[in-house]
Amino acid sequence: MLTKTELAELLEDHQQPAYRATQILDWIYQKRTRSWDEMSNLPPALREALAQQYPLRPLTHTLTKGSADTTRKFLLQLPDERYIETVLIPASPALYGEKSDRHTLCVSSQVGCAYGCKFCASGLDGFTRNLKASEIVSQIILAEELSGEKVNNLVFMGMGEPLANFTNLTKALEIITSDWGLNIGARRITVSTSGLVPQIKKLALLPQQIRLAISLHGPDDQTREKIMPVNKKYDVDELFGALRVWNANKKQKITLEYILIDGINASTTHAQTLARRAQSINAKVNLIPYNTVEGLPWVRPSDDDCRHFRNVLTKANVSATLRLEKGHDIDAACGQLRLKKEKNEI
Ligand code: SAH
Ligand code: SF4
């Protein structure tokens, strides 16, 4: 999939007039054409040449799992026969401040993940490869086609660590936010990271006002290191240093994602430390009771313990949401469905 600049260069190579770029972008992103053959206002030789190099549909839909609350999870196959997942959530979490008639799509950025967080299905099989920008953008186009719904919010919270795929992520963001592309407002896009400090600082300098979510899951080094190996590379203080750089460049509040795991990170002391951390960067907190992953030992605390944890934050004047569970019954935690497919369980 092409950006406007790439297309302009390509057309120059083919000695084509510049207005062809507008025609082609319109076919790809507005008319959502499935093949170059359909681009009837282009010379056939050009269509053929570009079709060889730039397949318009790199993803094949393999299966959809729908849950009782109509969250739908799409399993998609890549040209090299790997699988990725995309999840469409009808009512966006209150956290993102949107009305409930909105549709949020949760996209993947890599096949697998190299960061190996101890609670996460995506990291279980290690890292395979980065997704290309076209494979990221196609998840949105395909989800809209399969569901008949318009995607209004986008979260990079599927499989993979988006900031470890920085070049393709920023190219995809350009296509997604541009008026010649998918034209989704940057404020409706959230990139989630496990805390890659140099890339957070780089991303802060992008012109688009995208939102940032941090998978924190532990408010101090001792707790975080137990479940997130990335903390050995970038500790909590360094991470918060990068978040202050983010705040200096962006207007929207940062979201701290915090999975509640019984006996690990869910005590009152953890809540108090988290509250201080959140206050220090004026962040809001999204609490997620742990979603069971087959083969992993972790469990979520009781509902009462989860509510108590939230109350500690609220009393400290930190805005905190306790996520109303969606998609629990369709293996919605990242990487779970793809793992089953690769183990031939579905
Ligand atoms: N790698 C990035 C983007 C993936 S986001 C990141 O970690 O931020 C995926 C989100 O789902 C992260 O916040 C992750 O911590 C969370 N997650 C992973 N496994 C989960 C589980 N079993 N239950 C609930 N949330 C989980
Ligand atoms: Fe990778 Fe994010 Fe899962 Fe950690 S939580 S293993 S960084 S996808």
Side-chain angles (χ1 to χ4, degrees):
M1 225 155 261
L2 295 153
T3 65
K4 198 172 184 176
T5 322
E6 283 172 339
L7 195 54
E9 283 165 11
L10 198 67
L11 288 168
E12 220 176 285
D13 292 347
H14 287 268
Q15 280 130 27
Q16 290 290 323
Y19 68 82
R20 295 253 183 256
T22 316
Q23 288 176 324
I24 294 174
L25 292 169
D26 184 58
W27 281 112
I28 300 179
Y29 299 116
Q30 312 311 320
K31 297 200 179 78
R32 305 283 171 95
T33 308
R34 284 160 201 257
S35 90
W36 288 90
D37 284 347
E38 291 169 34
M39 302 191 191
S40 50
N41 54 1
L42 298 189
L46 178 67
R47 279 187 250 164
E48 270 167 43
L50 296 182
Q52 299 288 332
Q53 276 177 288
Y54 298 100
L56 293 180
R57 296 302 167 105
L59 304 177
T60 317
H61 175 231
T62 305
L63 85 101
T64 302
K65 273 204 165 188
S67 78
D69 58 15
T70 72
T71 294
R72 272 153 292 174
K73 184 160 195 164
F74 305 110
L75 186 68
L76 308 174
Q77 197 173 33
L78 298 159
D80 54 358
E81 302 194 342
R82 306 281 179 181
Y83 292 97
I84 52 165
E85 309 170 354
T86 294
V87 186
L88 188 66
I89 310 154
S92 68
L95 151 81
Y96 301 109
E98 306 299 342
K99 289 191 222 103
S100 59
D101 58 345
R102 306 220 155 258
H103 292 88
T104 298
L105 190 71
C106 174
V107 292
S108 293
S109 55
Q110 299 182 314
V111 183
C113 180
Y115 286 83
C117 302
K118 301 277 189 342
F119 47 80
C120 175
S122 289
L124 277 183
D125 263 3
F127 171 70
T128 305
R129 73 167 173 90
N130 281 328
L131 292 188
K132 298 178 188 169
S134 59
E135 293 166 339
I136 296 174
V137 176
S138 291
Q139 293 173 57
I140 307 166
I141 294 180
L142 212 55
E144 289 192 343
E145 252 173 37
L146 291 167
S147 67
E149 314 279 6
K150 173 100 185 74
V151 169
N152 329 84
N153 291 291
L154 198 61
V155 294
F156 284 81
M157 293 188 184
M159 206 195 308
E161 169 49 60
L163 295 194
N165 185 12
F166 198 86
T167 310
N168 295 330
L169 171 74
T170 47
K171 185 174 161 188
L173 285 173
E174 185 189 345
I175 296 173
I176 293 164
T177 55
S178 294
D179 53 3
W180 50 258
L182 299 189
N183 205 11
I184 298 177
R187 283 178 178 74
R188 302 192 176 282
I189 301 173
T190 302
V191 172
S192 177
T193 176
S194 59
L196 308 196
V197 162
Q199 288 92 329
I200 291 171
K201 291 178 183 166
K202 241 164 79 180
L203 197 71
L205 301 176
L206 275 198
Q208 294 105 336
Q209 285 290 335
I210 53 168
R211 292 171 187 250
L212 184 68
I214 300 295
S215 292
L216 190 64
H217 311 325
D220 58 82
D221 287 329
Q222 214 193 353
T223 308
R224 198 164 190 259
E225 256 171 31
K226 273 191 212 155
I227 46 178
M228 298 185 74
V230 69
N231 199 77
K232 296 210 173 72
K233 195 155 188 200
Y234 307 113
D235 65 21
V236 177
D237 280 345
E238 254 184 293
L239 174 58
F240 275 71
L243 300 184
R244 278 186 279 277
V245 173
W246 181 273
N247 277 346
N249 287 280
K250 300 273 187 248
K251 296 187 194 83
Q252 313 284 344
K253 277 191 179 187
I254 293 170
T255 301
L256 300 176
E257 303 280 334
Y258 199 97
I259 304 181
L260 292 164
I261 310 177
D262 199 32
I264 298 289
N265 65 357
S267 72
T268 304
T269 316
H270 286 121
Q272 287 161 342
T273 314
L274 176 59
R276 279 197 298 278
R277 286 281 183 193
Q279 281 163 347
S280 76
I281 53 159
N282 193 27
K284 48 189 178 180
V285 174
N286 185 30
L287 299 170
I288 313 148
Y290 184 67
N291 226 328
T292 318
V293 175
E294 229 178 277
L296 297 181
W298 319 104
V299 288
R300 59 172 63 185
S302 69
D303 285 0
D304 275 352
D305 286 350
C306 292
R307 275 188 221 108
H308 169 72
F309 195 97
R310 187 203 41 208
N311 291 344
V312 173
L313 294 168
T314 326
K315 280 197 191 116
N317 286 324
V318 172
S319 135
T321 41
L322 184 57
R323 191 132 78 187
L324 220 161
E325 203 62 64
K326 289 213 177 291
H328 193 44
D329 52 338
I330 55 158
D331 306 314
C334 64
Q336 287 179 326
L337 187 59
R338 161 256 186 186
L339 218 59
K340 282 193 180 167
K341 180 77 193 170
E342 298 199 335
K343 289 197 279 178
N344 286 322
E345 285 173 16
I346 43 175

